[in-house]
Amino acid sequence: MLHDLQGEENMSTIVGMLYGAVKENSQRLKSISEGMLQEEVDYKGPSNHYNSTAQLIQHLLYVDLNWVYRIKGQPLPQSLKDKYGPMIDDNNRLPMVKGIPLEILISNYEGVLNRLKETCTQLTDADLDNIVTFGHENEKQATIRWGLWHIADHNRYHQAHINQLRKWYSEE
């Protein structure tokens, strides 16, 4: 199997490479979570102190959805906020997600990735220099180039948490 960060046919070179990193990490997310029973998807680690795989996938979905709309220069529609949000709960933690089948979580996440793919086909490499705001209060700034890299990096970061949850679950 050849690994490469080649973008889609209708993407500019650098946009395509960055999208390729996102795509590869999303495929890895699917493979590391494959075969999980609902109990494992909802498992919150020893003593119930951690975010579950369900919470982490929902979090990735919502963060990435926000990035798609930032990149497009549009506000996230309220209907999508209501459907997939909030980013954090009243205790500044990831919202509780329980009882949602892995297939639905992954399918919803793939829907976000399809939106990202469509958005990336509209970008030129020069667009990557455009600056967007992000953060809970839009207090941070980044280029679109960094945003696309962050989507891939953030996904990979939480995959490590999912792998740890799977290890703990198998040991209980």
Side-chain angles (χ1 to χ4, degrees):
M1 172 196 238
L2 175 66
H3 293 276
D4 194 4
L5 294 179
Q6 195 168 17
E8 303 296 311
E9 206 173 282
N10 52 352
M11 289 183 196
S12 61
T13 305
I14 299 170
V15 171
M17 287 176 59
L18 291 166
Y19 174 78
V22 171
K23 183 178 176 181
E24 179 156 326
N25 281 326
S26 70
Q27 290 168 340
R28 185 173 183 271
L29 175 65
K30 285 193 295 190
S31 74
I32 68 165
S33 60
E34 192 172 22
M36 293 177 89
L37 301 173
Q38 189 63 48
E39 180 180 312
E40 186 177 7
V41 172
D42 294 336
Y43 174 71
K44 292 177 63 73
S47 304
N48 217 26
H49 286 306
Y50 299 91
N51 294 310
S52 68
T53 296
Q55 287 174 287
L56 293 169
I57 293 173
Q58 186 71 21
H59 169 69
L60 289 169
L61 176 158
Y62 195 61
V63 168
D64 294 358
L65 186 62
N66 275 274
W67 274 103
V68 168
Y69 279 86
R70 274 185 205 109
I71 291 167
K72 291 166 70 163
Q74 299 173 1
L76 183 64
Q78 188 62 47
S79 61
L80 294 176
K81 288 180 186 180
D82 294 343
K83 184 174 182 178
Y84 297 117
M87 187 72 69
I88 53 174
D89 66 16
D90 294 336
N91 298 316
N92 288 327
R93 298 184 53 86
L94 294 186
M96 178 56 70
V97 176
K98 190 169 184 169
I100 300 176
L102 179 63
E103 296 77 27
I104 291 174
L105 291 164
I106 294 293
S107 176
N108 289 344
Y109 186 64
E110 287 175 336
V112 172
L113 293 174
N114 286 335
R115 288 176 193 251
L116 178 64
K117 180 180 177 180
E118 291 169 18
T119 300
C120 285
T121 63
Q122 305 300 312
L123 293 175
T124 65
D125 287 347
D127 292 330
L128 296 173
D129 293 329
N130 293 343
I131 296 173
V132 297
T133 58
F134 72 104
H136 294 295
E137 304 294 327
N138 282 327
E139 73 280 10
K140 302 174 188 176
Q141 291 185 320
T143 61
I144 290 175
R145 176 179 22 265
W146 185 90
L148 288 171
W149 167 82
H150 176 70
I151 292 170
D153 182 60
H154 184 233
N155 187 300
R156 193 77 168 207
Y157 173 76
H158 285 305
Q159 287 178 24
H161 298 138
I162 293 169
N163 281 328
Q164 182 63 57
L165 286 165
R166 293 206 81 176
K167 180 177 186 258
W168 285 331
Y169 184 81
S170 70
E171 292 171 351
E172 284 199 5

